Amino acid sequence: MTAVVNPWIKAYLESGTVPALPDGHLIDGKVVPSLSAERMEIADPGTGHVFMSVAAGGAADVDAAVASALRGFRIWRDTAPVERGRVLARMAALMLRDIERLAFAETVTVGKTYTESCNNVRSAARTFEYYAGAPDKLQGDSIPLGPAQLGLTLLEPLGVVAQIIPWNYPITTFARGIAPALAAGCSVIAKPAETTPLTAVMLAQLLCEAGLPAGACNVLLGLGTVAGAGLSAHADVAHITFTGSPGVGTAVMTAAAQHYASVTMELGGKSPLIALADCDIEAAADGAVAAIYENAGQICSAGSRLVVDKRIHRALVEAITVRAGRITVGHGLRGSSMGAINSRRQMERILAFLDQAKTMGSTVAFGGARHVNSIDPDGWFIQPTLLDDLPIDHPCVQEEIFGPVLSVQVVDGTEDALRAANSTRYGLMAGIYSKDIGAALALARDIKSGQVTINNYWGGGVEVPFGGVEQSGFGREKGFAAVASYCRTKSLVAKVPYSQNARV
Ligand code: NAP
Ligand code: MG
């Protein structure tokens, strides 16, 4: 729990309004309203009430943002690599300087706890720090073609890159996409989710303060179907990094295909945490709780399925429910340990899954309903929930719920665990808990997933490439792989005058 010392929190809890946060697009280094003057309302998920409005972009704003990004690209691409790195390093420092303001804005729009938001700011600053080291180390290859030809590969930035960002991790998703794109020399246009627009604009302002040329990072606010679709279809956008639902991902790929833009697809997941019979039950319980109740389960890589051996099933479920019982649900600025669901629509979607499970006669071992909070009775809260012993074809095993709902699958032995783990159309993340490292490594080899952790569900950091297989998407973010995905290779072959006699 974080003590209330942040002046932004104090002012907001006393007045219910926010002091001067940016409320427009950031285009050409300036916060601007929509050309149509259209606006959209922003609600605090913890109170369930609207507290401000921001610009909502239309087609003319899309064009203005892309024109600015094209101008910004020409300047940024030609900025010395060492200076590009320094801008990213200054950005990391500025984010930590402004951590209170950023974390406040993140919590009041996303609904997560202030502690989680502070951790997200630190992690995003670390992302900029990591990529600050990249621009002057991006090297191509020399290709052996014999003495009469010189063969080289040159790495060129792709151009204008659109980043379409969801509502669950606005700050870290911004950093994960934009830091490597800028490191590669691309310019960017971020389109944050309609419910969480504030921190993208604040981060773009900090990039300007860090010395990024105007136009190299723009933020376009607005609805996905207007601003997001407009960016995806724009002929001058060279690449789109999309994080969100598979259905919208397909729409973005279809639009990108019309103008031959490349894409990175970071889609959903239904990731298993596998607890083998020999695992440390307390450690697995800690891991499972962190994997599903962090950010109230609104995480693409959440461990939303517990695949547990029947020999430890009862003991592990008991250990998880004890921990779930200690979770306090409430407004993210009031010191709770689990915050709100981002929107009423998403809360209702989660509740529909829970109603369906109850109708099917499934076992609700913990929670299972809306949480009504006496201080914020209109807040969008769901109880931490555990649905026990579900069959493989249960909707809560197959569908991404995107809420604090852990679905338990009971298995008999390692082979059965592998079968259960690989039983969905997704493949983003998998956690394995076992004391037998050989068994864990064999499972890691055979599991259908972009990443696997052993005995530490959230292991790793920005250094580790991240992405999905099958319906979880493709392309890799994080790690050095991410910088490469914002570059294209130009091959250069030169004929070189050659005479064997003249060589020593
Ligand atoms: P979403 O609709 O896929 O939204 C992701 C982003 O795409 C948002 O910025 C959204 O803008 C934008 N968008 C929407 N329609 C678009 C279009 N036609 N063209 C271009 N961009 C468009 O996801 P959601 O509605 O926020 O959540 C729905 C489900 O997606 C969740 O329940 C969850 O299962 C999944 N999800 C996954 C992740 C992840 O990290 N993998 C993150 C969030 C959600 P708007 O905000 O205006 O819609
Ligand atoms: Mg949406």
Side-chain angles (χ1 to χ4, degrees):
M1 247 189 244
T2 306
V4 178
V5 289
N6 178 327
W8 297 86
I9 299 179
K10 189 166 179 295
Y12 177 71
L13 291 181
E14 282 168 10
S15 71
T17 57
V18 294
L21 291 177
D23 66 349
H25 315 287
L26 192 125
I27 297 177
D28 255 341
K30 291 184 213 71
V31 176
V32 293
S34 288
L35 291 162
S36 66
E38 238 178 273
R39 298 183 71 78
M40 55 188 188
E41 291 184 328
I42 306 301
D44 172 355
T47 63
H49 299 148
V50 170
F51 66 90
M52 71 181 283
S53 71
V54 300
D61 304 296
V62 172
D63 287 341
V66 175
S68 167
L70 278 170
R71 288 191 296 273
F73 174 60
R74 293 192 189 104
I75 300 166
W76 184 238
R77 172 193 64 189
D78 294 342
T79 302
V82 61
E83 179 52 25
R84 293 211 304 263
R86 286 178 186 143
V87 169
L88 299 184
R90 285 196 289 270
M91 175 63 177
L94 290 173
M95 289 179 73
L96 295 177
R97 181 198 71 186
D98 283 4
I99 188 168
E100 290 191 343
R101 201 169 75 98
L102 288 165
F104 163 75
E106 191 81 333
T107 285
V108 84
T109 50
V110 179
K112 64 176 65 184
T113 69
Y114 180 67
T115 303
E116 287 170 330
S117 294
C118 288
N119 289 338
N120 293 171
V121 175
R122 287 186 200 100
S123 148
R126 166 67 190 133
T127 298
F128 275 95
E129 179 186 59
Y130 176 79
Y131 289 109
D136 57 356
K137 297 168 195 73
L138 268 177
Q139 300 179 351
D141 292 321
S142 66
I143 301 164
L145 296 172
Q149 292 189 92
L150 176 68
L152 298 174
T153 59
L154 308 177
L155 297 180
E156 298 182 336
L158 293 178
V160 174
V161 171
Q163 303 269 343
I164 302 179
I165 298 172
W167 39 258
N168 54 337
Y169 282 84
I171 290 178
T172 55
T173 310
F174 180 103
R176 181 173 89 180
I178 285 169
L182 291 177
C186 295
S187 66
V188 294
I189 304 166
K191 204 304 274 180
E194 63 191 83
T195 55
T196 58
L198 300 183
T199 46
V201 183
M202 294 161 74
L203 291 173
Q205 286 179 311
L206 288 183
L207 276 166
C208 294
E209 190 181 338
L212 189 75
C217 177
N218 301 279
V219 178
L220 180 69
L221 307 183
L223 301 182
T225 46
V226 181
L231 279 178
S232 307
H234 202 293
D236 290 327
V237 170
H239 181 93
I240 303 158
T241 296
F242 173 80
T243 306
S245 57
V248 176
T250 302
V252 169
M253 283 191 276
T254 305
Q258 309 311 310
H259 59 104
Y260 305 97
S262 52
V263 294
T264 300
M265 286 284 136
E266 207 69 83
L267 307 175
K270 193 71 190 179
S271 300
L273 185 151
I274 303 166
L276 297 182
D278 71 339
C279 76
D280 176 338
I281 289 177
E282 297 301 312
D286 287 341
V289 166
I292 187 63
Y293 301 133
E294 162 94 22
N295 198 23
Q298 300 161 100
I299 314 182
C300 50
S301 48
S304 51
R305 291 186 291 142
L306 176 69
V307 174
V308 55
D309 193 283
K310 66 177 189 182
R311 292 158 195 85
I312 57 163
H313 166 222
R314 276 181 195 289
L316 184 52
V317 164
E318 171 66 19
I320 292 171
T321 52
V322 166
R323 285 162 174 77
R326 293 191 202 120
I327 291 173
T328 55
V329 184
H331 197 293
L333 297 177
R334 295 192 195 277
S336 60
S337 58
M338 192 171 95
I341 303 303
N342 180 248
S343 64
R344 171 179 289 280
R345 194 176 67 117
Q346 181 65 10
M347 178 184 71
E348 284 169 356
R349 187 171 172 273
I350 299 166
L351 290 173
F353 275 108
L354 298 181
D355 286 345
Q356 189 182 14
K358 288 177 202 161
T359 307
M360 292 171 72
S362 311
T363 307
V364 181
F366 198 86
R370 184 171 179 177
H371 167 87
V372 181
N373 186 280
S374 56
I375 305 172
D376 293 296
D378 300 329
W380 301 319
F381 303 109
I382 302 252
Q383 297 167 346
T385 294
L386 194 149
L387 303 175
D388 204 2
D389 199 3
L390 304 182
I392 253 172
D393 60 354
H394 195 287
C396 295
V397 168
Q398 293 298 326
E399 305 297 328
E400 183 177 46
I401 298 174
F402 228 62
V405 181
L406 181 60
S407 300
V408 178
Q409 295 173 267
V410 183
V411 296
D412 184 3
T414 310
E415 260 182 47
D416 200 23
L418 180 65
R419 203 171 310 119
N422 284 345
S423 66
T424 76
R425 290 159 295 153
Y426 292 104
L428 191 54
M429 172 95 184
I432 301 166
Y433 281 75
S434 171
K435 289 186 189 127
D436 179 346
I437 193 69
L441 288 172
L443 263 182
R445 178 194 59 210
D446 296 336
I447 221 152
K448 183 186 71 174
S449 166
Q451 39 274 312
V452 183
T453 53
I454 296 175
N455 291 327
N456 179 13
Y457 190 83
W458 291 126
V462 65
E463 304 86 349
V464 184
F466 179 85
V469 303
E470 292 191 9
Q471 204 167 302
S472 291
F474 53 85
R476 290 294 175 268
E477 299 198 88
K478 307 206 305 190
F480 218 72
V483 189
S485 72
Y486 292 109
C487 296
R488 63 177 165 233
T489 300
K490 177 184 276 175
S491 299
L492 187 154
V493 178
K495 185 175 177 188
V496 182
Y498 166 67
S499 152
Q500 194 179 34
N501 296 339
R503 299 183 93 202
V504 287

